[in-house]
Amino acid sequence: MRKNRKPFWITMTVGLILVVLTLFTYSKNLNQIKKLDAEYTKLSSQLNQTEQDIAAKQDEVTSEKAESVKKVTGLDPELIQSDSTEAEKYFVAAFSWSNGTEYEGVRNQYIESLGEDNSFTKTYLPPDTKIETNDGMLSFIDFKKLRTTMDSIYVVPITAEGNRVRYVAFVQYIMHKDGSDLANTDALERSEAIIEFTAAGNPAEGDRRITEVSARAGYSAGLLDN
């Protein structure tokens, strides 16, 4: 019986040793995991704080930059950006139409806004001529199947008196005959219009508007010259 018990005790002893080693290893790993979790939490907090500090510094630099530009030039960068957006909304219709009827409607809107004798419509929205065909009189735009799409507008301030700013706008537009042409605009030739306008009014009160619009003196490139 004693000979049979010896392997049993050996097995029990080895088993206990393995259990102790396993518990020791688990406890050690658990402590390491807790330590790593604490370090991760600390580093995450430090990272978040650093990101907040950087964002605050960037806002401060942007504000200081805007104030410097305003002090040197008398122009508020945010106002220029806002006026550029409003200019795009104002001029897009003049350079984005698809048939003679739409063109006439757009032309009349600008004449109503700017007056009958304004240089902008004279230069960039001249009267659509009529062509006699076997089916009667036909719009030149419809006869040529012309349409145009504004491609871009770049606005540059030239003078300022307080919130009253005079700008020059460089507009690029694409003359084409079908909407599918715009699938590859890189292959299309751009035409350019140069326009002067004034943005006036108090932006804080929402009465900012585009006024005193004119074609740039000495420059002419009518939409119907093609």
Side-chain angles (χ1 to χ4, degrees):
M1 294 296 293
R2 290 181 180 178
K3 289 183 179 180
N4 292 335
R5 287 187 177 185
K6 186 174 183 180
F8 171 77
W9 287 112
I10 293 174
T11 302
M12 286 291 294
T13 301
V14 172
L16 287 172
I17 291 172
L18 290 175
V19 170
V20 171
L21 289 175
T22 300
L23 291 174
F24 175 77
T25 302
Y26 173 78
S27 177
K28 183 178 180 181
N29 289 341
L30 184 61
N31 289 333
Q32 289 178 339
I33 290 173
K34 289 181 178 179
K35 183 178 180 180
L36 290 173
D37 284 343
E39 291 180 354
Y40 175 79
T41 301
K42 180 180 178 181
L43 289 173
S44 295
S45 177
Q46 291 177 344
L47 178 60
N48 290 335
Q49 184 61 50
T50 301
E51 290 176 343
Q52 292 176 11
D53 292 343
I54 291 174
K57 192 64 177 179
Q58 287 177 335
D59 290 341
E60 182 181 342
V61 170
T62 300
S63 178
E64 290 177 354
K65 183 179 179 181
E67 285 300 320
S68 296
V69 172
K70 188 174 182 180
K71 183 176 180 180
V72 173
T73 66
L75 300 173
D76 184 348
E78 291 186 2
L79 183 62
I80 295 173
Q81 180 59 48
S82 176
D83 287 346
S84 296
T85 300
E86 290 304 312
E88 181 175 1
K89 293 178 182 178
Y90 184 87
F91 291 113
V92 66
F95 302 96
S96 301
W97 40 263
S98 58
N99 55 59
T101 300
E102 187 175 337
Y103 177 86
E104 286 296 335
V106 168
R107 182 173 183 272
N108 289 334
Q109 288 176 9
Y110 282 99
I111 289 176
E112 183 177 349
S113 173
L114 304 174
E116 184 73 34
D117 199 33
N118 74 88
S119 63
F120 175 72
T121 56
K122 282 186 176 181
T123 303
Y124 299 116
L125 293 167
D128 182 16
T129 57
K130 303 297 181 180
I131 299 174
E132 186 174 354
T133 68
N134 293 333
D135 297 325
M137 302 302 291
L138 183 65
S139 160
F140 174 80
I141 290 174
D142 293 335
F143 178 73
K144 289 288 188 177
K145 297 181 180 179
L146 297 176
R147 62 174 60 191
T148 185
T149 300
M150 179 189 279
D151 183 59
S152 64
I153 180 170
Y154 182 66
V155 175
V156 179
I158 50 178
T159 61
E161 296 179 6
N163 283 341
R164 186 180 182 84
V165 186
R166 186 70 174 167
Y167 293 92
V168 58
F170 301 89
V171 176
Q172 286 194 331
Y173 57 94
I174 300 171
M175 297 292 298
H176 55 104
K177 294 189 176 182
D178 190 273
S180 62
D181 295 339
L182 299 179
N184 183 19
T185 56
D186 292 338
L188 300 179
E189 181 180 354
R190 268 76 169 166
S191 298
E192 186 174 78
I194 302 180
I195 309 158
E196 289 190 19
F197 69 93
T198 297
N202 190 340
E205 297 178 0
D207 64 350
R208 193 80 172 161
R209 64 190 183 279
I210 304 297
T211 185
E212 298 177 354
V213 177
S214 63
R216 187 64 181 252
Y219 188 85
S220 177
L223 290 166
L224 303 186
D225 290 345
N226 292 356

